[in-house]
Amino acid sequence: MMALTIPTRFKFRSPNPQHRNLDTQLEVITVRTTRNPYFSTPRRRLHTQSRSTRTVVTGACSEGGGAPGAAPQRSAPSDIGSLRGSLSDSADGYVAMFVRMLGLDNDPLDREQAVVALWKYSLGGKQYVDAIMQFHGSINLAVNLLQSDSSSTCEAASGLLRMISSVNVYRELVAESGAIEAITALLSRSSLTSDVNEQSVCTLWNLSVDEKLREQIANSDLLLPLLIKLLEDEDIRVKEAAGGVLANLALSRFNHKVMVEAGVIPKLAKLLKSDAEGSKVTRTVARNALLELAKDEYHRILIMEEGLLVVPLVGAAAYKSFRPALHSWPSLPDGTEIEQSSKKPSRFGASELLLGLNIQDKDASLEEARMNAIVGRTQQQFLARIGAIEVENEKKNPSVSSLDNHFTILPWVDGVARLVLILGLEDESAIARAAESIADASISDYMRISFKEAGAVKHLVRLLYHPSDAVRSAVIHALERLSVRLFLHDSLNSFIKIIVVLHYTFRVFLIDRIRHEIGLYIP
């Protein structure tokens, strides 16, 4: 037997001057000295006088050594900041003591208190994580605690692993310790608290930043379906984390097939469409995942079948050339004029501005596709008038000089209207990309009718005489795809084909005539 004598009262000074000095009462109990397979120093039981310090932060991550695509960090409450400051001032000896208390031969309550304290300590950032990682075996002990029946222990252990995996140099060590398998087993339990789910999935979010670990996560027969199921969790933080993992997995093309077969596209599409007023992070990760999957033509078709459309980003500056007809009598998107019921103009133009608000009136005989076209055109033109289109994308990527390979995903009502709006701009590259997108999206009669009602045909016919060869080529491709089947009546379908044929016939004839007359080569 060996007695340990430790003062029962310590004063810790917080490094943050805004926090008051805290007096923490530590009760030291004399226990028998034992040896465990991890450490050879005496074990001690530590009890804090106040249980309020067990309040923890459910979100934290990449700080000083993190990577893009990792879980976002959340701010810590004041009590956690106070405890963190106290531990940082009490030297590394207390960190070593808490790590020793994680030993397998210790009491479960001691292990729980130790992992909670280490988790809170790690929330300070990379230097605090480094202080923990200097003791070998700490990761393995934390992974072992994921098997605990205590929710608070599992939450603290997964939270500690989340913080450790947020640092690039430790990410592979966490995976090698069996964290992915342990988290898979943890998430497979029938009942888990939202806090445990969040910390566990956020650990996977950090690990999925590493390309080598993405394949391991995606090829798990249990883990991938669990992540997809968590997209429907009631806790918004769990949704964000699950979507973040799937977005990172989609960055690797070799994961696309297994993800699509697991049914990820309908879940992500539902999240993107139905979460208009929900979490911004949720929409972002869902959109990023679908954009990666849309790089495959077959997967892009599956995405469009879910009511979404891939739309090119052309830059906010391109929309400055948009000139709405402010003083003309409104017409339907396809060019059909609306009959004026009264020739007397309103005093302030309200009759023109508010036209369409009663399109669902019982006397109105508009088809659903035409009504959707009116709604989409109104929304997109309003955004263009106030300069709000693509402004957010440029704020996120101010250093990106070219948007040639950048896209976004919109619900098809807004996507169709956005593409038609781009056809009316002056930027040649934007017009060509919009025409190609229309061609790619014309996969069904429903989509072809939607583009017709939105007014795409009249713009495409006008652009047949555009001076740019790239624009004309893209426009002809779009018209050909729109006329694959008789999506309108035969006369309009034939009219489109006749215009295309006459345009090229006349061009070839004119070029041959000039070449014959002046003997010059004209490409």
Side-chain angles (χ1 to χ4, degrees), residues 70-109:
Q73 181 175 355
R74 303 181 190 272
S75 59
S78 58
D79 62 332
I80 296 176
S82 301
L83 177 62
R84 192 169 59 225
S86 302
L87 291 175
S88 64
D89 281 353
S90 60
D92 294 338
Y94 290 99
V95 177
M97 181 177 65
F98 289 133
V99 175
R100 284 192 290 270
M101 290 173 63
L102 296 177
L104 300 179
D105 58 341
N106 285 316
D107 184 80
L109 182 59

mmCIF file of all heavy atoms in Angstrom, residues 70-109:
data_model
loop_
_atom_site.group_PDB
_atom_site.id
_atom_site.type_symbol
_atom_site.label_atom_id
_atom_site.label_comp_id
_atom_site.label_asym_id
_atom_site.label_seq_id
_atom_site.Cartn_x
_atom_site.Cartn_y
_atom_site.Cartn_z
ATOM 1 N N ALA A 70 -13.669 19.163 -43.735
ATOM 2 C CA ALA A 70 -13.827 18.586 -42.413
ATOM 3 C C ALA A 70 -15.011 19.224 -41.712
ATOM 4 O O ALA A 70 -15.558 20.227 -42.149
ATOM 5 C CB ALA A 70 -12.553 18.771 -41.592
ATOM 6 N N ALA A 71 -15.407 18.611 -40.597
ATOM 7 C CA ALA A 71 -16.561 19.108 -39.861
ATOM 8 C C ALA A 71 -16.291 20.491 -39.312
ATOM 9 O O ALA A 71 -15.189 20.771 -38.848
ATOM 10 C CB ALA A 71 -16.894 18.143 -38.724
ATOM 11 N N PRO A 72 -17.277 21.384 -39.343
ATOM 12 C CA PRO A 72 -17.074 22.750 -38.848
ATOM 13 C C PRO A 72 -16.938 22.767 -37.342
ATOM 14 O O PRO A 72 -17.434 21.892 -36.647
ATOM 15 C CB PRO A 72 -18.343 23.471 -39.305
ATOM 16 C CG PRO A 72 -19.362 22.390 -39.402
ATOM 17 C CD PRO A 72 -18.631 21.162 -39.843
ATOM 18 N N GLN A 73 -16.272 23.798 -36.829
ATOM 19 C CA GLN A 73 -16.060 23.923 -35.404
ATOM 20 C C GLN A 73 -17.126 24.816 -34.802
ATOM 21 O O GLN A 73 -17.563 25.786 -35.393
ATOM 22 C CB GLN A 73 -14.671 24.521 -35.123
ATOM 23 C CG GLN A 73 -14.366 24.656 -33.636
ATOM 24 C CD GLN A 73 -12.952 25.120 -33.391
ATOM 25 O OE1 GLN A 73 -12.185 25.241 -34.330
ATOM 26 N NE2 GLN A 73 -12.617 25.380 -32.162
ATOM 27 N N ARG A 74 -17.564 24.481 -33.598
ATOM 28 C CA ARG A 74 -18.533 25.284 -32.883
ATOM 29 C C ARG A 74 -17.866 25.895 -31.668
ATOM 30 O O ARG A 74 -16.904 25.382 -31.145
ATOM 31 C CB ARG A 74 -19.737 24.437 -32.433
ATOM 32 C CG ARG A 74 -20.424 23.732 -33.602
ATOM 33 C CD ARG A 74 -21.602 22.943 -33.087
ATOM 34 N NE ARG A 74 -22.128 22.086 -34.120
ATOM 35 C CZ ARG A 74 -23.034 22.436 -34.996
ATOM 36 N NH1 ARG A 74 -23.512 23.638 -34.988
ATOM 37 N NH2 ARG A 74 -23.477 21.590 -35.898
ATOM 38 N N SER A 75 -18.406 27.004 -31.193
ATOM 39 C CA SER A 75 -17.832 27.691 -30.057
ATOM 40 C C SER A 75 -18.121 26.934 -28.767
ATOM 41 O O SER A 75 -19.125 26.239 -28.639
ATOM 42 C CB SER A 75 -18.409 29.105 -29.952
ATOM 43 O OG SER A 75 -19.811 29.041 -29.820
ATOM 44 N N ALA A 76 -17.240 27.070 -27.785
ATOM 45 C CA ALA A 76 -17.379 26.370 -26.526
ATOM 46 C C ALA A 76 -18.057 27.254 -25.504
ATOM 47 O O ALA A 76 -17.799 28.449 -25.437
ATOM 48 C CB ALA A 76 -15.998 25.955 -26.014
ATOM 49 N N PRO A 77 -18.915 26.692 -24.655
ATOM 50 C CA PRO A 77 -19.527 27.466 -23.586
ATOM 51 C C PRO A 77 -18.486 27.961 -22.602
ATOM 52 O O PRO A 77 -17.376 27.461 -22.539
ATOM 53 C CB PRO A 77 -20.496 26.456 -22.940
ATOM 54 C CG PRO A 77 -20.717 25.411 -23.966
ATOM 55 C CD PRO A 77 -19.466 25.343 -24.770
ATOM 56 N N SER A 78 -18.870 28.907 -21.762
ATOM 57 C CA SER A 78 -17.913 29.545 -20.866
ATOM 58 C C SER A 78 -17.362 28.577 -19.837
ATOM 59 O O SER A 78 -16.195 28.659 -19.456
ATOM 60 C CB SER A 78 -18.568 30.733 -20.172
ATOM 61 O OG SER A 78 -19.718 30.289 -19.451
ATOM 62 N N ASP A 79 -18.198 27.606 -19.385
ATOM 63 C CA ASP A 79 -17.681 26.701 -18.364
ATOM 64 C C ASP A 79 -16.619 25.793 -18.927
ATOM 65 O O ASP A 79 -15.647 25.444 -18.254
ATOM 66 C CB ASP A 79 -18.829 25.889 -17.762
ATOM 67 C CG ASP A 79 -19.515 25.016 -18.807
ATOM 68 O OD1 ASP A 79 -19.482 25.407 -19.983
ATOM 69 O OD2 ASP A 79 -20.071 23.967 -18.433
ATOM 70 N N ILE A 80 -16.762 25.418 -20.210
ATOM 71 C CA ILE A 80 -15.740 24.588 -20.833
ATOM 72 C C ILE A 80 -14.470 25.394 -21.047
ATOM 73 O O ILE A 80 -13.364 24.917 -20.828
ATOM 74 C CB ILE A 80 -16.263 24.028 -22.176
ATOM 75 C CG1 ILE A 80 -17.450 23.105 -21.899
ATOM 76 C CG2 ILE A 80 -15.180 23.282 -22.900
ATOM 77 C CD1 ILE A 80 -18.095 22.578 -23.141
ATOM 78 N N GLY A 81 -14.629 26.636 -21.457
ATOM 79 C CA GLY A 81 -13.449 27.471 -21.622
ATOM 80 C C GLY A 81 -12.711 27.671 -20.311
ATOM 81 O O GLY A 81 -11.477 27.694 -20.261
ATOM 82 N N SER A 82 -13.455 27.785 -19.200
ATOM 83 C CA SER A 82 -12.816 27.957 -17.904
ATOM 84 C C SER A 82 -12.055 26.714 -17.505
ATOM 85 O O SER A 82 -10.917 26.785 -17.030
ATOM 86 C CB SER A 82 -13.885 28.286 -16.852
ATOM 87 O OG SER A 82 -14.584 29.456 -17.188
ATOM 88 N N LEU A 83 -12.695 25.525 -17.706
ATOM 89 C CA LEU A 83 -12.005 24.294 -17.361
ATOM 90 C C LEU A 83 -10.784 24.096 -18.233
ATOM 91 O O LEU A 83 -9.727 23.661 -17.772
ATOM 92 C CB LEU A 83 -12.972 23.111 -17.506
ATOM 93 C CG LEU A 83 -12.354 21.723 -17.252
ATOM 94 C CD1 LEU A 83 -11.850 21.654 -15.808
ATOM 95 C CD2 LEU A 83 -13.364 20.623 -17.509
ATOM 96 N N ARG A 84 -10.913 24.428 -19.525
ATOM 97 C CA ARG A 84 -9.784 24.267 -20.432
ATOM 98 C C ARG A 84 -8.617 25.146 -20.003
ATOM 99 O O ARG A 84 -7.470 24.746 -20.000
ATOM 100 C CB ARG A 84 -10.241 24.626 -21.856
ATOM 101 C CG ARG A 84 -9.251 24.239 -22.928
ATOM 102 C CD ARG A 84 -9.891 24.389 -24.295
ATOM 103 N NE ARG A 84 -10.334 25.736 -24.536
ATOM 104 C CZ ARG A 84 -11.511 26.043 -25.055
ATOM 105 N NH1 ARG A 84 -12.353 25.118 -25.358
ATOM 106 N NH2 ARG A 84 -11.838 27.309 -25.262
ATOM 107 N N GLY A 85 -8.917 26.371 -19.601
ATOM 108 C CA GLY A 85 -7.868 27.258 -19.132
ATOM 109 C C GLY A 85 -7.233 26.752 -17.858
ATOM 110 O O GLY A 85 -6.021 26.849 -17.655
ATOM 111 N N SER A 86 -8.041 26.157 -16.963
ATOM 112 C CA SER A 86 -7.508 25.631 -15.728
ATOM 113 C C SER A 86 -6.559 24.482 -15.986
ATOM 114 O O SER A 86 -5.457 24.409 -15.419
ATOM 115 C CB SER A 86 -8.662 25.170 -14.830
ATOM 116 O OG SER A 86 -9.556 26.228 -14.574
ATOM 117 N N LEU A 87 -6.985 23.572 -16.896
ATOM 118 C CA LEU A 87 -6.129 22.432 -17.191
ATOM 119 C C LEU A 87 -4.844 22.850 -17.882
ATOM 120 O O LEU A 87 -3.781 22.285 -17.649
ATOM 121 C CB LEU A 87 -6.900 21.436 -18.076
ATOM 122 C CG LEU A 87 -8.069 20.716 -17.381
ATOM 123 C CD1 LEU A 87 -8.811 19.871 -18.406
ATOM 124 C CD2 LEU A 87 -7.584 19.867 -16.237
ATOM 125 N N SER A 88 -4.920 23.876 -18.732
ATOM 126 C CA SER A 88 -3.720 24.290 -19.452
ATOM 127 C C SER A 88 -2.689 24.890 -18.518
ATOM 128 O O SER A 88 -1.491 24.811 -18.786
ATOM 129 C CB SER A 88 -4.101 25.304 -20.535
ATOM 130 O OG SER A 88 -4.615 26.475 -19.920
ATOM 131 N N ASP A 89 -3.128 25.488 -17.429
ATOM 132 C CA ASP A 89 -2.209 26.091 -16.489
ATOM 133 C C ASP A 89 -1.670 25.094 -15.477
ATOM 134 O O ASP A 89 -0.772 25.406 -14.706
ATOM 135 C CB ASP A 89 -2.892 27.243 -15.734
ATOM 136 C CG ASP A 89 -2.950 28.506 -16.568
ATOM 137 O OD1 ASP A 89 -2.335 28.502 -17.655
ATOM 138 O OD2 ASP A 89 -3.610 29.467 -16.143
ATOM 139 N N SER A 90 -2.244 23.932 -15.397
ATOM 140 C CA SER A 90 -1.845 22.978 -14.367
ATOM 141 C C SER A 90 -0.817 21.992 -14.851
ATOM 142 O O SER A 90 -0.638 20.944 -14.247
ATOM 143 C CB SER A 90 -3.074 22.235 -13.866
ATOM 144 O OG SER A 90 -3.681 21.540 -14.931
ATOM 145 N N ALA A 91 -0.178 22.285 -15.969
ATOM 146 C CA ALA A 91 0.947 21.515 -16.505
ATOM 147 C C ALA A 91 0.477 20.203 -17.103
ATOM 148 O O ALA A 91 -0.667 19.782 -16.956
ATOM 149 C CB ALA A 91 2.002 21.272 -15.445
ATOM 150 N N ASP A 92 1.409 19.542 -17.798
ATOM 151 C CA ASP A 92 1.065 18.317 -18.502
ATOM 152 C C ASP A 92 0.840 17.140 -17.570
ATOM 153 O O ASP A 92 0.378 16.090 -18.006
ATOM 154 C CB ASP A 92 2.177 17.964 -19.499
ATOM 155 C CG ASP A 92 2.285 18.976 -20.620
ATOM 156 O OD1 ASP A 92 1.288 19.678 -20.857
ATOM 157 O OD2 ASP A 92 3.364 19.058 -21.240
ATOM 158 N N GLY A 93 1.162 17.289 -16.304
ATOM 159 C CA GLY A 93 0.977 16.181 -15.388
ATOM 160 C C GLY A 93 -0.459 15.750 -15.272
ATOM 161 O O GLY A 93 -0.750 14.558 -15.135
ATOM 162 N N TYR A 94 -1.383 16.690 -15.323
ATOM 163 C CA TYR A 94 -2.790 16.346 -15.218
ATOM 164 C C TYR A 94 -3.281 15.650 -16.486
ATOM 165 O O TYR A 94 -4.143 14.784 -16.410
ATOM 166 C CB TYR A 94 -3.622 17.589 -14.932
ATOM 167 C CG TYR A 94 -3.392 18.115 -13.540
ATOM 168 C CD1 TYR A 94 -2.536 19.181 -13.321
ATOM 169 C CD2 TYR A 94 -4.008 17.517 -12.457
ATOM 170 C CE1 TYR A 94 -2.313 19.651 -12.052
ATOM 171 C CE2 TYR A 94 -3.786 17.986 -11.175
ATOM 172 C CZ TYR A 94 -2.932 19.059 -10.968
ATOM 173 O OH TYR A 94 -2.696 19.516 -9.707
ATOM 174 N N VAL A 95 -2.742 16.029 -17.654
ATOM 175 C CA VAL A 95 -3.105 15.320 -18.883
ATOM 176 C C VAL A 95 -2.660 13.874 -18.788
ATOM 177 O O VAL A 95 -3.401 12.947 -19.129
ATOM 178 C CB VAL A 95 -2.472 15.999 -20.111
ATOM 179 C CG1 VAL A 95 -2.787 15.212 -21.376
ATOM 180 C CG2 VAL A 95 -2.964 17.425 -20.248
ATOM 181 N N ALA A 96 -1.452 13.660 -18.305
ATOM 182 C CA ALA A 96 -0.958 12.291 -18.140
ATOM 183 C C ALA A 96 -1.831 11.506 -17.172
ATOM 184 O O ALA A 96 -2.124 10.321 -17.386
ATOM 185 C CB ALA A 96 0.484 12.328 -17.647
ATOM 186 N N MET A 97 -2.271 12.165 -16.110
ATOM 187 C CA MET A 97 -3.116 11.486 -15.134
ATOM 188 C C MET A 97 -4.446 11.077 -15.762
ATOM 189 O O MET A 97 -4.925 9.956 -15.550
ATOM 190 C CB MET A 97 -3.363 12.399 -13.944
ATOM 191 C CG MET A 97 -4.228 11.772 -12.854
ATOM 192 S SD MET A 97 -4.435 12.846 -11.431
ATOM 193 C CE MET A 97 -5.369 14.194 -12.175
ATOM 194 N N PHE A 98 -5.053 11.976 -16.548
ATOM 195 C CA PHE A 98 -6.323 11.635 -17.183
ATOM 196 C C PHE A 98 -6.147 10.512 -18.194
ATOM 197 O O PHE A 98 -7.009 9.639 -18.311
ATOM 198 C CB PHE A 98 -6.915 12.869 -17.862
ATOM 199 C CG PHE A 98 -7.436 13.901 -16.910
ATOM 200 C CD1 PHE A 98 -7.130 15.242 -17.071
ATOM 201 C CD2 PHE A 98 -8.232 13.538 -15.843
ATOM 202 C CE1 PHE A 98 -7.612 16.199 -16.196
ATOM 203 C CE2 PHE A 98 -8.726 14.477 -14.967
ATOM 204 C CZ PHE A 98 -8.407 15.822 -15.129
ATOM 205 N N VAL A 99 -5.040 10.527 -18.939
ATOM 206 C CA VAL A 99 -4.799 9.451 -19.896
ATOM 207 C C VAL A 99 -4.622 8.130 -19.166
ATOM 208 O O VAL A 99 -5.118 7.076 -19.609
ATOM 209 C CB VAL A 99 -3.575 9.772 -20.774
ATOM 210 C CG1 VAL A 99 -3.241 8.597 -21.683
ATOM 211 C CG2 VAL A 99 -3.834 11.015 -21.618
ATOM 212 N N ARG A 100 -3.906 8.126 -18.031
ATOM 213 C CA ARG A 100 -3.733 6.903 -17.256
ATOM 214 C C ARG A 100 -5.065 6.371 -16.746
ATOM 215 O O ARG A 100 -5.282 5.168 -16.652
ATOM 216 C CB ARG A 100 -2.785 7.153 -16.081
ATOM 217 C CG ARG A 100 -1.324 7.239 -16.478
ATOM 218 C CD ARG A 100 -0.448 7.185 -15.255
ATOM 219 N NE ARG A 100 -0.545 8.395 -14.446
ATOM 220 C CZ ARG A 100 0.218 9.460 -14.602
ATOM 221 N NH1 ARG A 100 1.140 9.469 -15.550
ATOM 222 N NH2 ARG A 100 0.079 10.520 -13.823
ATOM 223 N N MET A 101 -5.960 7.297 -16.451
ATOM 224 C CA MET A 101 -7.271 6.877 -15.947
ATOM 225 C C MET A 101 -8.123 6.213 -17.029
ATOM 226 O O MET A 101 -9.163 5.610 -16.724
ATOM 227 C CB MET A 101 -8.018 8.073 -15.365
ATOM 228 C CG MET A 101 -7.427 8.591 -14.072
ATOM 229 S SD MET A 101 -8.216 10.130 -13.525
ATOM 230 C CE MET A 101 -9.891 9.582 -13.247
ATOM 231 N N LEU A 102 -7.721 6.315 -18.288
ATOM 232 C CA LEU A 102 -8.432 5.630 -19.365
ATOM 233 C C LEU A 102 -8.120 4.146 -19.406
ATOM 234 O O LEU A 102 -8.732 3.411 -20.194
ATOM 235 C CB LEU A 102 -8.081 6.250 -20.722
ATOM 236 C CG LEU A 102 -8.492 7.705 -20.980
ATOM 237 C CD1 LEU A 102 -7.998 8.148 -22.349
ATOM 238 C CD2 LEU A 102 -9.991 7.890 -20.869
ATOM 239 N N GLY A 103 -7.165 3.687 -18.594
ATOM 240 C CA GLY A 103 -6.729 2.295 -18.624
ATOM 241 C C GLY A 103 -7.871 1.314 -18.447
ATOM 242 O O GLY A 103 -8.853 1.567 -17.736
ATOM 243 N N LEU A 104 -7.747 0.147 -19.058
ATOM 244 C CA LEU A 104 -8.814 -0.843 -19.067
ATOM 245 C C LEU A 104 -9.096 -1.399 -17.678
ATOM 246 O O LEU A 104 -10.197 -1.901 -17.424
ATOM 247 C CB LEU A 104 -8.450 -1.991 -20.015
ATOM 248 C CG LEU A 104 -8.214 -1.611 -21.485
ATOM 249 C CD1 LEU A 104 -7.834 -2.841 -22.286
ATOM 250 C CD2 LEU A 104 -9.447 -0.956 -22.073
ATOM 251 N N ASP A 105 -8.101 -1.344 -16.761
ATOM 252 C CA ASP A 105 -8.303 -1.926 -15.446
ATOM 253 C C ASP A 105 -8.887 -0.925 -14.449
ATOM 254 O O ASP A 105 -9.036 -1.227 -13.265
ATOM 255 C CB ASP A 105 -6.983 -2.481 -14.905
ATOM 256 C CG ASP A 105 -5.913 -1.409 -14.821
ATOM 257 O OD1 ASP A 105 -6.067 -0.373 -15.492
ATOM 258 O OD2 ASP A 105 -4.923 -1.611 -14.084
ATOM 259 N N ASN A 106 -9.218 0.277 -14.908
ATOM 260 C CA ASN A 106 -9.804 1.282 -14.030
ATOM 261 C C ASN A 106 -11.315 1.118 -13.962
ATOM 262 O O ASN A 106 -11.941 0.481 -14.827
ATOM 263 C CB ASN A 106 -9.451 2.685 -14.511
ATOM 264 C CG ASN A 106 -8.019 3.058 -14.198
ATOM 265 O OD1 ASN A 106 -7.515 2.812 -13.099
ATOM 266 N ND2 ASN A 106 -7.338 3.644 -15.178
ATOM 267 N N ASP A 107 -11.887 1.743 -12.951
ATOM 268 C CA ASP A 107 -13.329 1.719 -12.771
ATOM 269 C C ASP A 107 -14.011 2.437 -13.944
ATOM 270 O O ASP A 107 -13.518 3.457 -14.427
ATOM 271 C CB ASP A 107 -13.687 2.412 -11.453
ATOM 272 C CG ASP A 107 -15.175 2.332 -11.174
ATOM 273 O OD1 ASP A 107 -15.626 1.287 -10.700
ATOM 274 O OD2 ASP A 107 -15.876 3.335 -11.457
ATOM 275 N N PRO A 108 -15.147 1.934 -14.453
ATOM 276 C CA PRO A 108 -15.822 2.583 -15.586
ATOM 277 C C PRO A 108 -16.152 4.042 -15.333
ATOM 278 O O PRO A 108 -16.072 4.861 -16.253
ATOM 279 C CB PRO A 108 -17.085 1.741 -15.762
ATOM 280 C CG PRO A 108 -16.722 0.393 -15.238
ATOM 281 C CD PRO A 108 -15.788 0.650 -14.092
ATOM 282 N N LEU A 109 -16.506 4.387 -14.082
ATOM 283 C CA LEU A 109 -16.808 5.783 -13.790
ATOM 284 C C LEU A 109 -15.552 6.642 -13.892
ATOM 285 O O LEU A 109 -15.605 7.780 -14.383
ATOM 286 C CB LEU A 109 -17.422 5.912 -12.394
ATOM 287 C CG LEU A 109 -17.826 7.332 -11.969
ATOM 288 C CD1 LEU A 109 -18.834 7.904 -12.945
ATOM 289 C CD2 LEU A 109 -18.380 7.328 -10.546
#
